[in-house]
């Protein structure tokens, strides 16, 4: 049956390029391997030439897949399943890239893209290590290609093609019996996950996947070192790549934290979510491996630890992909994939086993030739404490990954282990002590020399910075009023110790740059990274322990059924309801909900909330700013729900962070309530569900007796006081007029009580007061607001730490060229 409007050629090209990438990566892997094991130089050169050619073809194919799929998404070709599932016509152009890597296939393609680029760089720079290293890189590329081919080998499907047509995927659907299905039924797609409609999701995934992809390089060098039985030669070329990977992956992880801070509503940037953990763990083990590489290069110690830390970093990258993309985590993560069934499960498991087996087998084959120094390191040496720090990084990674893997472990062994309800504390109680020790070690270790350091030299260099750190941290602790006691005095003490360690690390490493390195910034990469780490740690501690809840509810208006980003119940006493255009006290601020506007194409509402801070003594304005959170309107079986994106106001020393937890717009509500009326005279009382109303006065007048009534013939005016259950009182003045025998009512509304009052005059002369309780009376929002002090230390520290990694990488590359 011919179908109208389909664009088949572009999909066929994409599928061809996917098959070409698979074939070329297979040839490249085989050719580089044959070149590595060839004895004859001419044969080795021939195989290497073939491997290079095949790898270049593979790279061209991968880039072509990338471009082809993007064109399908950009052109809104909804006959393709991938475009229909992940994009929509109304999406802004900048989010079309996010559509690309929202799905499984796009993510693997992004990984393959970076892997192919890295391989080209290695072909030019790896020199004598090219063929064994490129064997591993090409093998990774081959595995990544298998995720995209979507073909069957006998009864086993290999991967999922992003170029599959909707009608081929769902052949029994009724709509595909119509040749005009595309015009009639698939005019638009499902759209992008609303959580991903954020600018961080345009740049965060490429950076993270560059970090993931680059982790294959130190892995491949370590495998090559074992393969060629050269345990020292590989360290030099692998170290700059390890530093590059550490910087990029660390930056990517913290970009994810920034996205969570700006897009999720758990009130922070890190919640020990399994996806967050899975991306951080490879970074921890890689940093451990970088330090043991430095130890081995300078002293000959720690090569065995290096052969553990470096390979396991890449294996953990694959394992983190397995955890987050196969669905084994279930609903324990707010942003993990639901998985693609058993096919992806076994596919990724095969990849893990393959890349875990290779270094393990090679290690046991070469274990007798691996150099070991039997002499113990001196406790007064740099390498001793660097190794202690590396081991602590590894233990922390092990602790995190085991707890993160509990859902998978339970499925595997039928157990029912669980962390408990307070997930954050389970991690924080251990990690805060790890951070204290790491901060302390990073502060003094650089002042030690390799092999041995005299006590006099060490104390002369470290003494003053240590005292300065004690003074500054004490000032922060006391003047800053850090008194976080949610988990008792022991945890509070750990916070203060960790704060001192963070300040100690930043100050001592900053001092080291000028007192020891004499300001030579090119050689100061490690110290710069440590300064950044210290500032990050201080930012985390201060912003978390001093996080101030601003939206304490003292209005008496409590909204039930509020939920946070993780589906947990919100405390109504921590959520403040703001009535439209009614200034409301919130801590030191007067806050006004000024209005909202709806972006119809994306069903998003933007809210305007004005904050004013006035001097308590003079009443003069000290500060005024506007915060504009937004929320998507998501239709579900329970009606329209809000999916909030926080808004924030950034200052140098703090952020004000706001997100909407409920919204009522009376324009969208049909008013079905009616007035309940009864005759009244002054002094009478009428009750409503939240209080009662007292009639103070009723005044009648007509224009013959009262010259102040030129517009109407007769008027009945009232003064009513409304008393709510919480003790507040409100004034209302409903009235009734007659003009030319036509009656008119002037209603009065008490917005905060959601009631409307009216007054009527019956023909019998009786005056009746009516009360109507209605949800359509009041436009309001309910919000949650925090103040994060010194959070910019976290972001500044991240930038400085990444600069340190890159500075060290450039320094190592320059030394290698000179050497």
């Amino acid at each position: 049956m011919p179908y109208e409007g389909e664009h088949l050629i572009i999909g066929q090209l994409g599928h061809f390029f996917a098959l070409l990438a698979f074939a070329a990566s297979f040839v490249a892997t085989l050719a580089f391997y044959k070149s590595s094991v060839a004895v004859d130089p001419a044969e080795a050169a021939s195989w290497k030439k073939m491997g290079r050619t095949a790898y270049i073809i593979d790279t061209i194919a991968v880039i072509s897949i990338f471009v082809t799929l993007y064109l399908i998404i950009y052109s809104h070709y909804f006959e393709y399943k991938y475009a229909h599932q992940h994009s929509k016509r109304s999406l802004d152009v900048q989010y079309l890239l996010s559509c690309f890597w929202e799905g499984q296939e796009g993510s693997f393609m992004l990984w393959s893209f970076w892997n192919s680029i890295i391989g080209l760089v290695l072909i030019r720079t790896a020199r004598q290590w090219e063929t064994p290293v490129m064997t591993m890189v090409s093998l990774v590329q081959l595995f990544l290609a298998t995720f995209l081919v979507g073909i069957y080998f006998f009864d086993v499907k290999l991967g999922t093609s992003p170029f599959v047509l909707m009608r081929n995927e769902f052949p029994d659907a009724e709509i595909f019996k119509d040749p005009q299905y595309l015009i009639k039924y698939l005019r638009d797609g499902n759209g992008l996950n609303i959580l991903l409609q954020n600018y961080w999701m345009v740049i965060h995934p490429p950076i993270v996947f560059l970090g993931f992809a680059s982790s294959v390089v130190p892995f491949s060098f370590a495998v090559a070192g074992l393969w060629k039985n050269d345990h020292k030669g590989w360290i030099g070329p692998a170290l700059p790549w390890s530093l590059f990977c550490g910087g990029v992956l660390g930056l990517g992880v913290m970009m994810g934290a920034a996205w969570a801070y700006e897009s999720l509503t758990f009130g922070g940037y890190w919640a020990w979510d399994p996806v967050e953990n899975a991306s951080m763990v490879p970074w921890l083990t890689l940093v451990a491996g970088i330090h043991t590489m430095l130890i081995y290069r300078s002293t000959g110690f720690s090569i065995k630890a290096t052969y553990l830390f470096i390979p396991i970093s890449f294996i953990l990258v694959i394992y983190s992909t397995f955890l987050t993309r196969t669905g084994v985590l279930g609903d324990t993560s707010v942003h993990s994939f639901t998985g693609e069934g058993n096919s992806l499960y076994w596919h990724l498991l095969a990849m893990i086993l393959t890349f875990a087996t290779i270094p393990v087998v090679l290690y046991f084959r070469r274990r007798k030739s691996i150099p070991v120094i039997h002499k113990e390191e001196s406790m007064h040496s740099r390498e001793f404490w660097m190794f202690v720090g590396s081991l602590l990084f590894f233990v922390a990674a092990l602790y995190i990954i085991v707890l993160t893997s509990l859902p998978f472990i339970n499925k595997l062994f039928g157990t029912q282990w669980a962390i408990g309800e307070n997930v954050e504390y389970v991690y924080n109680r251990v990690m805060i002590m790890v951070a204290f020790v790491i901060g302390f070690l990073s502060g003094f270790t650089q002042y030690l020399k390799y092999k041995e350091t005299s006590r006099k030299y060490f104390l002369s260099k470290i003494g003053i910075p240590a005292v300065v750190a004690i003074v500054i941290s004490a000032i922060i602790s006391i003047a800053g009023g850090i008194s976080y006691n949610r988990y008792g005095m022991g945890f509070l003490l750990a916070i203060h110790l960790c704060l001192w360690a963070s300040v100690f690390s930043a100050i001592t490493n900053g001092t080291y740059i000028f007192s020891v390195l004499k300001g030579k910034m090119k050689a100061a990469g490690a110290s710069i990274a440590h300064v950044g780490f210290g500032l990050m740690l201080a930012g985390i501690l201060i912003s978390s322990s001093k996080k101030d809840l601003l939206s304490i509810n003292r209005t008496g208006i409590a909204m039930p059924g509020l939920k946070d980003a993780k589906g947990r119940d919100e405390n109504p006493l921590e959520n403040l309801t703001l009535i439209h255009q009614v200034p409301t006290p919130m801590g030191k601020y007067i806050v006004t909900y000024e209005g909202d506007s709806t972006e119809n194409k994306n069903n998003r509402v933007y809210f305007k909330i004005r904050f004013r801070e006035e001097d308590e003594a003079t009443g003069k304005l000290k500060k005024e700013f506007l915060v504009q959170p937004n929320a998507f309107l998501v239709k579900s079986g329970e009606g329209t729900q809000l999916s909030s994106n926080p808004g924030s106001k950034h200052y140098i020393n703090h952020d004000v962070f706001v997100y909407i937890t409920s919204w009522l717009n009376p324009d969208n509500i049909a008013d079905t309530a009616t007035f309940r009326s009864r005759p009244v005279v002054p002094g009478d009382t009428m009750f409503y569900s939240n209080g009662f109303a007292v009639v103070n006065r009723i005044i009648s007048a007509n224009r013959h007796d009262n010259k102040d009534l030129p517009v109407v013939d007769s008027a009945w005016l009232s003064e009513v006081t409304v008393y709510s259950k919480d003790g507040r009182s409100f004034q209302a003045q409903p009235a009734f007029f007659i003009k030319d025998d036509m009656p008119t009512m002037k209603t009065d509304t008490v917005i905060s009580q959601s009631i409307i009052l009216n007054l009527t005059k019956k023909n019998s002369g009786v005056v009746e007061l009516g009360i109507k309780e209605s949800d359509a009376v009041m436009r309001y929002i309910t919000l949650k607001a925090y103040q994060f002090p010194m959070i910019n230390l976290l972001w500044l520290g991240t930038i400085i730490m990444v600069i340190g990694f890159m500075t060290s990488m450039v320094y190592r590359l320059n030394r290698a060229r000179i050497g």
Side-chain angles (χ1 to χ4, degrees):
M1 179 190 300
Y3 293 93
E4 294 184 23
E6 290 186 333
H7 307 83
L8 300 181
I9 293 178
I10 192 169
Q12 291 165 355
L13 279 173
H15 191 61
F16 166 76
F17 287 127
L19 292 173
L20 179 61
F22 173 71
S25 58
F26 176 80
V27 172
T29 304
L30 179 63
F32 281 125
Y33 172 78
K34 295 290 287 185
S35 178
S36 298
V37 299
V39 177
D40 180 37
E43 182 186 358
S46 176
W47 280 112
K48 182 164 70 172
K49 184 178 180 181
M50 180 185 291
R52 287 178 170 181
T53 303
Y55 197 87
I56 291 170
I57 293 172
D58 170 70
T59 302
I60 294 171
V62 168
I63 294 172
S64 299
I65 299 169
F66 195 101
V67 172
T68 302
L69 184 59
Y70 181 74
L71 286 175
I72 287 174
I73 294 171
Y74 181 82
S75 303
H76 306 302
Y77 293 161
F78 296 122
E79 61 265 39
Y80 293 96
K81 181 185 174 185
Y82 199 86
H84 184 266
Q85 280 188 329
H86 303 293
S87 68
K88 196 175 185 178
R89 293 183 185 276
S90 61
L91 277 177
D92 295 332
V93 174
Q94 66 264 30
Y95 296 136
L96 293 179
L97 276 174
S98 298
C99 298
F100 187 96
W101 40 72
E102 182 193 24
Q104 306 278 21
E105 300 91 330
S107 296
F108 286 120
M109 197 182 305
L110 182 59
W111 188 351
S112 181
F113 170 79
W114 284 127
N115 201 73
S116 63
I117 300 301
I118 288 167
L120 293 180
V121 176
L122 287 168
I123 286 173
R124 289 186 57 87
T125 61
R127 299 177 184 176
Q128 74 270 22
W129 293 97
E130 179 186 342
T131 54
V133 167
M134 285 304 299
T135 301
M136 290 296 101
V137 174
S138 299
L139 183 59
V140 172
Q141 195 72 344
L142 175 61
F143 263 97
L144 293 174
T146 61
F147 289 106
L148 301 174
V149 289
I151 59 176
Y152 283 89
F153 281 98
F154 300 101
D155 292 331
V156 178
K157 187 180 181 183
L158 198 61
T160 304
S161 172
F163 304 105
V164 66
L165 291 166
M166 287 285 287
R167 59 181 170 85
N168 290 339
E169 192 72 4
F170 307 102
D172 297 329
E174 286 294 322
I175 65 170
F176 299 120
K177 295 177 181 178
D178 187 338
Q180 294 184 324
Y181 79 91
L182 195 58
I183 300 169
K184 294 180 179 178
Y185 307 112
L186 294 185
R187 297 183 60 84
D188 208 351
N190 292 334
L192 180 66
N193 186 322
I194 56 178
L195 292 177
L196 303 184
Q197 294 183 39
N198 180 282
Y199 65 93
W200 282 115
M201 277 296 120
V202 179
I203 57 176
H204 159 60
I207 298 299
V208 166
F209 275 96
L210 177 57
F212 284 172
S214 59
S215 67
V216 74
V217 183
F219 170 87
S220 299
F221 272 106
V223 168
L226 289 167
W227 186 357
K228 297 301 179 181
N229 206 21
D230 182 354
H231 305 293
K232 190 169 185 178
W234 70 272
I235 297 289
L239 189 52
W241 280 102
S242 301
L243 291 163
F244 173 79
C245 179
V248 171
L249 186 55
L251 177 63
V253 170
M254 292 312 297
M255 279 184 170
W259 165 74
Y261 180 62
E262 294 198 5
S263 291
L264 302 181
T265 56
F266 56 76
Y269 42 82
W270 197 268
W272 296 109
D273 183 273
V275 173
E276 297 170 345
N277 298 349
S279 63
M280 183 177 69
V281 166
W283 183 83
L284 293 174
T285 56
L286 179 66
V287 171
I290 290 171
H291 286 83
T292 55
M293 290 168 77
L294 292 169
I295 293 170
Y296 178 68
R297 201 169 188 206
S298 299
T299 67
F301 287 106
S302 300
I303 185 60
K304 288 188 174 182
T306 302
Y307 278 133
L308 171 63
F309 297 152
I310 294 299
I312 205 171
S313 299
F314 178 65
I315 294 165
L316 283 169
V317 165
I318 309 172
Y319 180 67
S320 69
T321 306
F322 172 81
L323 286 181
T324 57
R325 294 177 184 276
T326 59
V328 297
L329 292 178
D331 57 358
T332 60
S333 171
V334 297
H335 47 261
S336 65
F337 288 79
T338 57
E340 297 286 343
N342 288 332
S343 174
L344 186 62
Y345 178 96
W346 292 108
H347 204 156
L348 280 168
L349 200 58
M351 190 176 180
I352 294 169
L353 293 174
T354 299
F355 288 99
T357 301
I358 291 171
V360 169
V361 170
L362 288 173
Y363 179 86
F364 279 99
R365 284 182 59 187
R366 304 297 189 191
R367 66 186 184 280
K368 293 182 179 179
S369 63
I370 296 174
V372 177
I373 299 176
H374 296 287
K375 178 185 175 183
E376 294 291 333
E377 302 103 315
S378 168
M379 289 186 64
H380 302 123
S381 66
R382 180 184 290 189
E383 63 268 22
F384 177 85
W385 294 107
M386 282 177 68
F387 181 77
V388 171
S390 299
L391 194 60
L392 196 55
F393 268 113
F394 179 71
V395 170
L398 194 64
Y399 179 79
I400 294 170
I401 201 63
V402 169
L403 291 184
T404 302
S405 301
L406 282 182
F408 173 52
I409 293 171
N410 287 337
K411 290 180 181 179
L412 202 60
F413 299 105
T415 53
Q416 294 183 343
W417 293 327
I419 296 176
E421 291 186 5
N422 198 339
V423 175
E424 288 85 354
Y425 180 60
V426 172
Y427 286 101
N428 288 339
R429 66 185 180 186
V430 174
M431 290 302 114
I432 194 167
M433 296 312 301
V434 170
F436 162 67
V437 177
I438 293 293
F440 179 53
L441 292 177
S442 67
F444 77 80
T445 301
Q446 289 223 86
Y447 286 90
L448 297 171
K449 298 178 180 179
Y450 284 111
K451 298 184 179 179
E452 189 65 44
T453 308
S454 69
R455 181 175 298 179
K456 182 179 179 181
Y457 171 84
F458 176 72
L459 292 177
S460 68
K461 295 293 184 181
I462 200 72
I464 294 176
V467 172
V468 172
I470 291 173
V471 172
I472 292 178
S473 61
I475 291 173
I476 295 173
S477 295
I478 297 171
I482 296 178
S483 57
Y484 185 85
N485 57 4
R486 182 177 177 183
Y487 302 119
M489 290 302 297
F491 194 77
L492 177 60
L493 177 61
I495 290 174
H496 287 287
L497 287 173
C498 198
L499 180 61
W500 172 80
S502 67
V503 175
F504 176 71
S505 177
I507 289 176
T508 53
N509 279 282
T511 305
Y512 183 86
I513 295 172
F514 298 98
S515 66
V516 179
L517 298 178
K518 307 302 180 184
K520 297 177 181 178
M521 302 303 290
K522 292 181 180 179
S527 295
I528 293 171
H530 291 163
V531 168
F533 176 77
L535 292 176
M536 278 180 62
L537 189 55
I540 291 169
L541 290 166
I542 296 172
S543 64
S544 298
S545 62
K546 287 290 293 177
K547 182 172 74 172
D548 185 20
L549 177 68
L550 298 177
S551 54
I552 298 174
N553 186 358
R554 295 189 175 94
T555 65
I557 305 174
M559 296 297 166
L562 304 178
K563 301 286 184 179
D564 67 5
K566 293 187 174 183
R568 299 174 300 193
D569 291 334
E570 286 272 14
N571 185 348
L573 298 180
E574 296 180 353
N575 290 261
L576 183 66
T577 297
L578 300 180
I579 300 165
H580 185 236
Q581 295 293 358
V582 177
T584 305
M586 186 171 74
K588 63 181 180 180
Y589 298 106
I590 301 295
V591 186
T592 305
Y593 163 36
E594 293 190 339
D596 51 69
S597 59
T598 302
E599 183 186 69
N600 291 324
K601 71 173 185 176
N602 288 322
N603 288 328
R604 183 187 292 198
V605 184
Y606 295 86
F607 301 91
K608 290 184 178 181
I609 304 166
R610 186 167 300 278
F611 284 69
R612 290 174 57 90
E613 182 183 357
E614 299 176 352
D615 187 279
E616 293 183 3
T618 63
K620 291 183 178 180
L621 181 66
K622 292 173 62 178
K623 185 191 299 181
E624 184 176 22
F625 57 90
L626 195 67
V627 178
Q628 294 181 286
N630 63 81
F632 287 94
L633 303 178
V634 182
K635 293 183 179 179
S636 67
E638 299 177 357
T640 301
Q641 306 293 323
L642 285 184
S643 178
S644 292
N645 287 320
S648 57
K649 178 66 176 178
H650 305 288
Y651 291 95
I652 293 177
N653 62 342
H654 70 276
D655 277 5
V656 175
F657 173 98
V658 178
Y659 64 91
I660 307 300
T661 52
S662 72
W663 173 52
L664 180 67
N665 184 353
D667 296 341
N668 300 329
I669 298 177
D671 187 5
T672 59
T674 58
F675 281 96
R676 180 171 50 85
S677 302
R678 52 158 285 192
V680 292
V681 297
D684 280 356
T685 298
M686 281 190 69
F687 290 88
Y688 67 101
S689 61
N690 198 41
F692 59 92
V694 176
V695 180
N696 300 320
R697 297 176 62 191
I698 297 178
I699 303 171
S700 62
N702 60 69
R703 68 178 180 177
H704 299 295
D705 300 330
N706 193 326
K707 296 181 180 180
D708 293 331
L709 292 175
V711 179
V712 299
D713 298 330
S714 302
W716 286 262
L717 312 175
S718 68
E719 295 179 1
V720 179
T721 302
V722 176
Y723 296 93
S724 66
K725 289 180 180 178
D726 57 14
R728 293 178 298 160
S729 62
F730 311 89
Q731 299 300 316
Q733 295 178 327
F736 184 80
F737 306 105
I738 295 178
K739 169 71 173 176
D740 297 330
D741 295 327
M742 295 294 293
T744 303
M745 276 187 267
K746 172 184 170 290
T747 60
D748 203 352
T749 303
V750 181
I751 293 178
S752 66
Q753 298 296 294
S754 296
I755 62 172
I756 304 172
L757 294 90
N758 71 3
L759 200 71
T760 56
K761 165 69 168 58
K762 298 297 184 180
N763 293 331
S764 61
V766 174
V767 175
E768 291 187 350
L769 178 67
I771 296 180
K772 179 169 72 170
E773 300 183 59
S774 173
D775 289 336
V777 171
M778 183 171 60
R779 170 179 288 185
Y780 68 82
I781 57 172
T782 304
L783 59 79
K784 197 166 189 176
Y786 292 100
Q787 182 166 289
F788 287 93
M790 304 308 293
I791 192 171
N792 287 327
L793 275 180
L794 169 61
W795 313 125
L796 176 64
T798 298
I799 295 169
I800 292 174
M801 185 183 72
V802 173
I803 291 172
F805 271 101
M806 297 308 168
T807 302
S808 189
M809 179 196 73
V810 172
Y811 178 71
R812 298 286 170 182
L813 286 172
N814 290 335
R815 284 188 63 181
R817 291 193 189 100
I818 295 171

